[in-house]
Every structure is written in C-alpha cells, then in structure tokens.
Amino acid sequence: MSVERTLHHFPLDPASRQVRLALGEKRLPFVEVQVRYWEMPPEFSALNPSGLPPVLVETRNQRTVTACETRAILEHIEETEPEPPLLGRDPAERAEARRLLQWFDRKFDNEVNGFLLHEKMEKRLLRMGAPDLAALRQGREALRMHLGYIESLLQTRDWLAGRRMSLADFAAAAHLSVIDYFGDVPWKDFQAAKTWYMKLKSRPAFRPILADRWPGLAPAAHYDDLDF
C-alpha cells in the first residue's frame, strides 16, 4: 500500500523533532517542508489554525489525513504503523511513557525552553533584542533540576519509562537536543543522562537531527559529535 507523508516542521522545534524521531525509528519515509511559522504563512495556517508546527499530511488509499500538534501526530503514527511499538507493550510502561510525554511537553517546555530557547532562539528569529541574563540563569537552573530527575529515573530503569525505549525518550531527547544545539546542557555533571543521550544520539533516526542547521544560528562544536 502506497503512503505519502509530508511533514511541515521547523528544524529547531522540539515538538517537530519528536515526530521526526518517531518516523525515523519506524523507518517511515516522508517529505520535509520547513516552515518559518513565526511569519504566519497563510498556507500553513490553513493546515493548522494554531499556526504551530508540526503538521503531518498523510495520504493512503486516496484518503488524506491532516494531523496537527505533536501528541495527535504521534498517536496517529502508533495507530497506523504499530511496529515497532514506541509506547511499549506493557500497560504500566505505556502509562509511564504518556506521563513523561506530558512532563517534557508541558513542564520542561515551560520551565526550561520558555527561558533558554526564548532568549537564545526566539528573540533572534523575531529580532527582539539581546538575551536577558536573569532569564537565562533561571532556565539553566531549571534545566539542572530536570537533568537530575532524568538521572533519578535512570537509576532503576534502562530507559526513561522502563525496560524499553519509548516516545518518552524521544520527547526528552528532542527537547534536550535543541538546548544542546546552543551548548547549554551541562553533560559533565550528569553522566547517567549523558550516557542515555549518547545511546539515542547514535541511532539512525537521530542522524537528520544532528544535521540540522539554521542560518544565523550556529550549533555548539560538540552538537553532532557522537563521542562528546
């Protein structure tokens, strides 16, 4: 059965990266359309009224589905392409993976990205001036708290949600990878998290993420180094 997929995304958007990782892990081919969403292009707003990426447009059997926002897209992919399962097979691990998806997409995004990515990326894209040092400090302090939480999970688990890699790992890695693009993750202080991230970073699905570049926003020197 022929399936055509087009993913509308922004390369440095953690939400978009989650979907790219899921598609890559399942080896599902797709066409990429990069979106400058902050410019509110009308053709993209027609796909998603919120104006936010990602959006997956999928056509199979001459029927087209437009899935908007990360969770809806990830659930659609799991339902239509269940192998390999990325929520786990054990009910407890599936529930934990869903909890952690919410943790990173709401709590981490608000407490870390809302400061670090806003100051280092969004302000530059929107030409809003120099970063605020107090906001950067607050974001970095919150990041250390979240890395500590990741380490506590990994003390008793192989992966964040349990015995198997899941969408929870992709969610965490997607958020951290954008922070790492700007060189703000203190990996040397969190060795268990670093080892976990190295395992994810080495997977084929991660290669397109490591190749991401955006004009005027250069990555840290170690960003695409697998042995950082």
Side-chain angles (χ1 to χ4, degrees), residues 183-201:
D184 280 309
V185 184
W187 294 117
K188 64 181 178 61
D189 296 332
F190 299 92
Q191 289 299 311
K194 180 179 180 180
T195 300
W196 160 85
Y197 186 66
M198 288 176 67
K199 289 193 296 182
L200 286 165
K201 197 174 182 180

Side-chain angles (χ1 to χ4, degrees), residues 165-186:
M165 183 183 65
S166 72
L167 291 175
D169 299 284
F170 285 164
H175 286 278
L176 285 168
S177 66
V178 183
I179 301 294
D180 195 45
Y181 185 94
F182 295 98
D184 280 309
V185 184

Side-chain angles (χ1 to χ4, degrees), residues 22-180:
L23 290 169
E25 190 67 24
K26 289 178 180 284
R27 300 183 180 181
L28 301 176
F30 62 97
V31 174
E32 295 183 48
V33 176
Q34 295 187 3
V35 179
R36 301 170 69 93
Y37 65 94
W38 60 94
E39 296 179 352
M40 296 181 288
E43 63 275 12
F44 182 67
S45 297
L47 291 173
N48 185 7
S50 78
L52 296 174
V55 173
L56 179 67
V57 180
E58 183 181 273
T59 301
R60 65 175 74 207
N61 297 330
Q62 299 182 331
R63 296 186 62 183
T64 298
V65 172
T66 300
C68 304
E69 312 292 345
T70 314
R71 291 295 296 274
I73 297 173
L74 293 176
E75 290 179 11
H76 171 74
I77 294 171
E78 280 294 289
E79 289 172 355
T80 57
E81 303 288 347
E83 296 295 331
L86 294 181
L87 273 175
R89 300 185 188 278
D90 178 77
E93 289 192 9
R94 292 171 70 90
E96 179 67 349
R98 288 187 169 101
R99 181 187 73 83
L100 289 170
L101 279 167
Q102 188 79 346
W103 174 283
F104 287 102
D105 285 345
R106 184 170 63 182
K107 188 173 177 65
F108 186 101
D109 186 61
N110 180 60
E111 296 174 355
V112 181
N113 297 348
F115 293 95
L116 293 182
L117 294 188
H118 175 69
E119 296 297 328
K120 286 205 164 185
M121 180 177 70
E122 292 175 353
K123 276 190 171 182
R124 294 185 67 175
L125 294 174
L126 298 172
R127 300 180 181 179
M128 295 173 61
D132 179 87
L133 296 181
L136 289 174
R137 184 166 54 252
Q138 184 171 347
R140 287 171 180 145
E141 290 173 356
L143 174 60
R144 296 184 70 87
M145 183 275 290
H146 282 274
L147 286 167
Y149 180 59
I150 288 173
E151 295 242 316
S152 71
L153 294 175
L154 293 172
Q155 286 178 2
T156 58
R157 304 173 180 180
D158 297 323
W159 298 92
L160 293 187
R163 294 170 297 172
R164 294 178 176 82
M165 183 183 65
S166 72
L167 291 175
D169 299 284
F170 285 164
H175 286 278
L176 285 168
S177 66
V178 183
I179 301 294
D180 195 45

